[in-house]
Amino acid sequence: PVARRSLMFGGFSTNITLAPPETWAWDGQRWALVASHVDTLARVDSSMIYDGSRLILFGGDGPTSVLNDTWVWNGTDWAMLSPAVSPPARDGHTMTLDPVRRRV
């Protein structure tokens, strides 16, 4: 909301193979590729949610396995989080925000 843009992340090509990971930003009129300096894994079928203060990405189908990693967008790039407990690896899932309990 502060930057007034939406982000998309993934990596998938038309020949059903994973392409390099890319982050794209939509400003309401056009898409722009966002340069990333972090070595995230390309993935499809992951899930992202904005929790009121940050954008969180979890899991997805990676190049060799289903993933259970957690990433946060810091406003300019991705940073990997290392929570003590996290869900098992999954893909094709969704996340939602419970604003009353302030939980994803």
Side-chain angles (χ1 to χ4, degrees):
V2 175
R4 296 183 177 223
R5 62 183 181 171
S6 298
L7 290 181
M8 175 178 67
F9 176 83
F12 194 73
S13 68
T14 56
N15 62 357
I16 315 298
T17 60
L18 288 171
E22 294 178 334
T23 301
W24 288 83
W26 172 256
D27 67 5
Q29 296 182 13
R30 65 186 175 282
W31 286 102
L33 182 62
V34 179
S36 178
H37 305 288
V38 176
D39 189 19
T40 56
L41 286 175
R43 65 193 68 218
V44 296
D45 296 331
S46 59
S47 189
M48 286 196 300
I49 190 165
Y50 181 71
D51 73 356
S53 63
R54 58 194 178 166
L55 183 65
I56 300 168
L57 172 107
F58 179 79
D61 192 8
T64 59
S65 64
V66 178
L67 306 168
N68 76 329
D69 52 351
T70 304
W71 294 83
V72 64
W73 179 255
N74 65 20
T76 57
D77 214 339
W78 293 101
M80 188 173 197
L81 299 179
S82 298
V85 178
S86 66
R90 62 191 66 210
D91 62 347
H93 57 287
T94 59
M95 295 190 289
T96 190
L97 177 66
D98 179 346
V100 174
R101 294 187 292 172
R102 298 176 64 190
R103 294 181 181 196
V104 172

